[in-house]
Amino acid sequence: MTLKIHIDEGAPPYEQVRAQISEQARSGVLPVGYRLPTVRGLAESLGLAANTVAKAYRALEADGVIETRGRNGTFVAAAGSAAEREAASAAQAYADRARRLGLGEEEALAAVRDALRAAYGD
C-alpha cells in the first residue's frame, strides 16, 4: 500500500488518507481481505498524528470500505456488498419520497435516468 500526503494540498491529511485507501480498495490495488497497517504504524510511516489516521479509518469503516476485526486488525471489506447495500437503501428512500410527492412510477424512473445520465456523463 502506497500513500502520499501533500500538506500543501487543500484537503486535510485525514481526507487524503481516506480517499487514497478508498480508491485503492475500489480499483483492486488493495484486494478484499488485505490487512491494513495499524493506526500507529501508518501514522508513523506517513509522519502524521495517530488521531489523524484513526479518523480516516473510522470514516472508511463507516463507508464500508474497511472492517475492524477486533484484535486481529483492520482489513479491506467486500466493497461490492457494502456499496450495493448503500445503493439499495438510497433507492428505497428515493422510492418512498417519490411516492409521497405524488410521482408515478414512470415519472420517478425518468428522474432517476436523468440523474444517472448526468452523473455518468451519458
Side-chain angles (χ1 to χ4, degrees):
M1 178 172 79
T2 305
L3 302 178
K4 295 193 192 273
I5 304 302
H6 303 284
I7 300 302
D8 56 336
E9 193 174 293
Y14 89 90
E15 178 59 28
Q16 292 179 50
V17 171
R18 188 209 60 76
Q20 289 177 47
I21 291 175
S22 183
E23 172 58 27
Q24 289 181 27
R26 186 194 61 74
S27 69
V29 171
L30 297 177
V32 171
Y34 177 85
R35 186 175 184 178
L36 295 170
T38 64
V39 168
R40 274 201 185 112
L42 184 57
E44 204 172 281
S45 71
L46 294 174
L48 297 173
N51 284 340
T52 300
V53 174
K55 185 175 182 179
Y57 274 23
R58 283 191 305 272
L60 287 162
E61 192 156 23
D63 292 345
V65 175
I66 64 173
E67 60 186 4
T68 301
R69 300 178 190 162
R71 293 189 173 267
N72 292 324
T74 303
F75 300 84
V76 174
S81 61
E84 289 166 6
R85 284 193 306 271
E86 188 174 338
S89 176
Q92 185 62 55
Y94 172 74
D96 292 342
R97 183 154 187 190
R99 191 169 22 122
R100 281 195 311 274
L101 292 171
L103 294 177
E105 185 177 340
E106 286 306 313
E107 293 167 309
L109 284 171
V112 169
R113 283 187 205 99
D114 291 343
L116 288 171
R117 281 187 201 107
Y120 289 96
D122 291 339

